[in-house]
Amino acid sequence: MKNPCKFLPLLLLLISVSLPAQQPEPLPRHDPAEVKLPNGKSQKDEILKADFEKNIADAQKLVELSKELEKTLETNTRFVLSIEDLKRLDEIEKTARRIRSRLKRY
């Protein structure tokens, strides 16, 4: 053998190909068990129930605000909105966003 360094890369390549590929073991999936409250009910169900009740109350508030706005628009002879009407519109928008965010949560 004149120069053993020529065969060293070939030897390393053959060794690396012949070794089994070591892949990291996948992490075990951690599915949290459903959390139970002390009364035995599911925490998720209780949260959904509370959100549902809040959505109903907010929807009723939306109806009231929109009826108030409708009355003021019908009785208003000018083509200008009052500051109270603009505040009412902002409150309608905020309430609708609260409902939407609760519905998108799950």
Side-chain angles (χ1 to χ4, degrees), residues 8-85:
L8 186 59
L10 182 60
L11 182 63
L12 290 174
L13 179 66
L14 288 175
I15 291 173
S16 66
V17 170
S18 65
L19 290 176
Q22 294 179 352
Q23 296 178 353
E25 293 183 25
L27 297 174
R29 295 185 81 191
H30 180 63
D31 293 331
E34 191 172 308
V35 179
K36 296 286 184 178
L37 297 175
N39 62 4
K41 295 182 180 179
S42 168
Q43 182 181 18
K44 184 177 180 181
D45 289 344
E46 291 298 312
I47 292 171
L48 288 172
K49 183 178 177 183
D51 282 350
F52 176 76
E53 291 170 359
K54 289 177 187 175
N55 286 340
I56 297 259
D58 282 346
Q60 290 172 350
K61 185 177 179 180
L62 277 175
V63 170
E64 291 171 9
L65 288 170
S66 63
K67 285 183 180 180
E68 291 173 8
L69 180 64
E70 181 183 20
K71 286 179 186 177
T72 59
L73 290 176
E74 287 174 352
T75 59
N76 196 357
T77 57
R78 298 175 297 173
F79 298 109
V80 179
L81 285 176
S82 67
I83 293 176
E84 292 174 8
D85 291 339

Side-chain angles (χ1 to χ4, degrees), residues 88-100:
R88 193 172 291 126
L89 284 170
D90 287 339
E91 185 63 30
I92 288 172
E93 184 178 359
K94 288 177 188 176
T95 306
R97 285 185 182 183
R98 275 196 307 264
I99 292 172
R100 184 182 308 138

